[in-house]
Amino acid sequence: MSEKDGNSLIKKARELLEDKGLSDALAGMIEKHRGRLGFLPGALRKRPRAFNQFVMRGMSLYSEPRALDRKTAELVAVSAASALRCEHCLEAHMARAVEEGASLDEVMDTLLISGAIADSSTLSVALRKFRQLEGKLDRNK
């Protein structure tokens, strides 16, 4: 591909990101499928560039993952939302995981695993800092 062709494609992509018509189409698709826009897409809706890239990225990751099935992608999202304590994300992704065929037991296992990792991470960071404090206090004796 020539540099000119590449620059032309980049320009088209930027124009699409700014396109209010694309925002309208994406919002309509979400509302038809989900019944409403969620909090974050709703907040971004006034800015086509932010909204369009957010929705398209989400589609490529959750709705059209390359190597994972959609249920697994949603369970991964549940795990991340749980570890990051994002209540709105948890609600949305748990519901989508169930829509994609996850059982309540699979969602619970995902939450328990995520919680165990989050707990281990918290303890690991805290205990490393504790050891640093111990070392400083021992050196000061």
Side-chain angles (χ1 to χ4, degrees):
M1 175 182 301
S2 73
E3 185 176 339
K4 182 180 177 182
D5 290 341
N7 289 338
S8 177
L9 282 173
I10 292 168
K11 182 180 177 187
K12 286 179 186 177
R14 284 184 173 146
E15 288 171 358
L16 274 174
L17 282 177
E18 296 286 351
D19 190 318
K20 187 178 177 327
L22 178 58
S23 295
D24 294 341
L26 291 170
M29 176 193 70
I30 293 168
E31 288 169 342
K32 181 179 179 185
H33 185 69
R34 303 261 177 244
R36 64 179 180 79
L37 289 179
F39 171 76
L40 199 49
L44 294 174
R45 181 74 173 87
K46 295 177 184 175
R47 297 205 175 182
R49 185 172 170 183
F51 176 79
N52 291 342
Q53 70 84 23
F54 177 82
V55 173
M56 295 299 292
R57 181 183 64 179
M59 287 171 54
S60 72
L61 296 174
Y62 307 118
S63 302
E64 304 161 0
R66 182 174 175 175
L68 299 175
D69 60 82
R70 289 163 66 157
K71 178 180 89 170
T72 302
E74 287 298 339
L75 289 171
V76 170
V78 167
S79 183
S82 172
L84 294 170
R85 300 178 185 167
C86 180
E87 291 183 29
H88 298 291
C89 302
L90 264 172
E91 289 176 17
H93 290 289
M94 285 192 298
R96 288 185 201 151
V98 170
E99 287 174 17
E100 294 297 339
S103 68
L104 290 179
D105 278 340
E106 288 173 312
V107 172
M108 177 60 88
D109 281 350
T110 300
L111 295 172
L112 292 172
I113 292 166
S114 175
I117 294 297
D119 182 47
S120 294
S121 175
T122 298
L123 285 173
S124 178
V125 168
L127 292 175
R128 279 188 178 88
K129 291 299 176 184
F130 180 78
R131 281 190 178 163
Q132 288 175 1
L133 175 62
E134 278 183 321
K136 286 177 187 177
L137 293 176
D138 284 346
R139 283 190 298 265
N140 291 334
K141 285 183 180 181

